[in-house]
Amino acid sequence: MNWINRSRPTANSFLSYFCAAWKVAAALAVSMFFLTATQGWSQPVPGSLDVHWNEGASDCTATPQNPLQVHMYERQTFILRQSPCANFEANFLYLLIGSDKALLIDTGAVADPKEMPLANTILELLPDKDHRKLPLLVAHTHSHLDHRAGDPQFAALPSVQVVSTDLEGVRAFFGFTNWPNGIAQVDLGGRIVDVIPTPGHHPTHLAFYDNRTGILFSGDFLLPGRLLIEDAAAYRESALRVVDFLKTRPLAHIMGGHIELNTAGQAYRFGSHYHPNEHRLELAREDLTALPAAFESFNGFYARHPNYILTNPFRKRVGSAPVAAPAPGRLIGSPKRIFNVPGLFATMSQLYDAQ
């Protein structure tokens, strides 16, 4: 099953008496280039975000919750939200449907199909083609467990392919030969999804740009919450790479894997199953373009943007030097979620990837 699409002459100088004409022609050529580049991208298919996401409950036992909320953004794009009562991570998953295939981005934090009927729900959403369900590709923004715990539900299903979550598997499947550079494409049939390496939160992190809707599905790279930074230099380079990629492309929304802030910009308590007054799921282009600059004020532990928080709640001790402490009251725990505990000397990925 083939899912992937694998990856100007300069003018001579004119004599001085032609300079004025050359400058006019050059300016016109540059203008036409950018006009053509902008017009080359069709307008995104609009969708609806008129939805109140399941906010969980202060007492989940006393307030039964549907484990999975499904919202149709438009007829070929579905947003699924796992209830905060099912798991405090409350992941957002995304189903994109083409004419030939479908793509599911992430499988969430709950493995048990009795507690989280993810695979059955996805199959119900998939249209039929030639008297069978459309083939499905299951890919991940990264390999943290809350983004892949539901994978086993899809393992035995026909016409379903689950992409490996280790770096070599990701590189091989998408055809990246110079990671983290390059862009891969998934062709769903009349719908191209660009796959962009975005390491920094995790070494295998990917973002997905949907050419149909103009949405960037950003996982934990960019979301209204805590941006957990494992490699600040790689994170900043990823941000610059995505900004550059989207420079001439339409961007309707940026949708991440979680909501961890309320409307006042305050982070929910780590492990909370109740998210009253949640921040909107979607972020905008200005949130992305502000991300590289946000690293300039990042002190290795904490920096604040109105719609997200840069944080590294763990800093590895070098030699015998103790772990540095963050400013009092400013750094709080977050999913994946490692606190500054002296003597805890492993990376976030090593700890969270362990099963």
Side-chain angles (χ1 to χ4, degrees):
M1 192 180 298
N2 185 17
W3 297 89
I4 308 300
N5 291 341
R6 305 295 183 188
S7 4
R8 77 196 160 241
T10 59
N12 293 324
S13 300
F14 289 95
L15 296 175
S16 58
Y17 56 85
F18 285 128
C19 283
W22 176 80
K23 289 179 181 178
V24 172
L28 181 61
V30 170
S31 299
M32 289 300 294
F33 171 80
F34 283 109
L35 180 62
T36 302
T38 302
Q39 290 179 339
W41 304 102
S42 59
Q43 288 300 308
V45 174
S48 169
L49 287 170
D50 184 14
V51 56
H52 180 81
W53 300 114
N54 187 332
E55 62 187 25
S58 55
D59 185 348
C60 291
T61 303
T63 312
Q65 305 281 318
N66 289 325
L68 192 60
Q69 179 181 6
V70 179
H71 172 69
M72 185 174 71
Y73 175 78
E74 54 92 25
R75 63 187 180 87
Q76 292 177 235
T77 305
F78 294 87
I79 305 171
L80 299 92
R81 206 276 171 89
Q82 296 189 322
S83 168
C85 281
N87 186 283
F88 73 90
E89 297 279 13
N91 291 69
F92 285 88
L93 322 174
Y94 302 97
L95 178 65
L96 314 182
I97 300 173
S99 60
D100 298 327
K101 308 157 188 171
L103 170 66
L104 175 63
I105 302 173
D106 288 340
T107 62
V110 183
D112 189 344
K114 295 179 181 178
E115 297 178 9
M116 182 65 60
L118 177 62
N120 284 344
T121 301
I122 295 299
L123 290 177
E124 290 174 359
L125 293 172
L126 290 178
D128 292 330
K129 184 175 183 178
D130 299 327
H131 308 292
R132 62 183 64 184
K133 289 294 182 180
L134 212 62
L136 175 68
L137 177 67
V138 178
H140 313 82
T141 55
H142 60 296
S143 67
H144 282 152
L145 188 58
D146 62 310
H147 294 260
R148 60 178 172 87
D151 283 10
Q153 295 189 31
F154 296 89
L157 296 180
S159 300
V160 175
Q161 184 172 5
V162 180
V163 180
S164 173
T165 58
D166 63 275
L167 182 56
E168 287 308 309
V170 168
R171 291 176 60 177
F173 181 84
F174 290 108
F176 292 112
T177 58
N178 187 29
W179 180 273
N181 299 303
I183 306 295
Q185 289 187 329
V186 176
D187 185 355
L188 302 179
R191 185 174 194 170
I192 299 294
V193 179
D194 294 294
V195 186
I196 312 164
T198 50
H201 169 74
H202 187 278
T204 68
H205 205 291
L206 300 169
F208 298 82
Y209 175 76
D210 176 32
N211 286 266
R212 174 180 170 84
T213 60
I215 296 174
L216 179 73
F217 299 100
S218 56
D220 286 2
F221 164 71
L222 186 57
L223 53 84
R226 306 173 183 93
L227 308 186
L228 292 187
I229 298 167
E230 182 174 286
D231 184 332
Y235 213 128
R236 183 176 181 277
E237 287 301 312
S238 293
L240 291 170
R241 195 160 45 246
V242 177
V243 169
D244 184 67
F245 172 80
L246 291 171
K247 191 174 297 181
T248 59
R249 290 170 169 84
L251 181 61
H253 307 291
I254 300 168
M255 297 189 188
H258 311 272
I259 299 174
E260 297 178 350
L261 302 181
N262 63 19
T263 52
Q266 299 170 329
Y268 295 109
R269 177 181 56 82
F270 168 64
S272 175
H273 294 277
Y274 185 37
H275 288 191
N277 303 312
E278 278 189 324
H279 190 289
R280 295 183 66 85
L281 167 64
E282 66 275 16
L283 296 180
R285 187 184 294 269
E286 52 265 30
D287 296 304
L288 171 64
T289 55
L291 185 55
F295 278 91
E296 296 177 7
S297 60
F298 181 58
N299 61 9
F301 287 108
Y302 181 95
R304 182 66 207 236
H305 178 275
N307 291 324
Y308 48 81
I309 302 167
L310 280 66
T311 180
N312 180 359
F314 171 83
R315 175 175 283 182
K316 188 175 181 180
R317 176 160 62 177
V318 178
S320 59
V323 175
R330 300 196 73 188
L331 183 63
I332 53 180
S334 47
K336 264 59 94 194
R337 260 36 169 175
I338 299 181
F339 299 85
N340 276 296
V341 180
L344 187 62
F345 308 129
T347 67
M348 288 186 287
S349 291
Q350 288 171 331
L351 285 176
Y352 200 71
D353 286 349
Q355 295 189 49

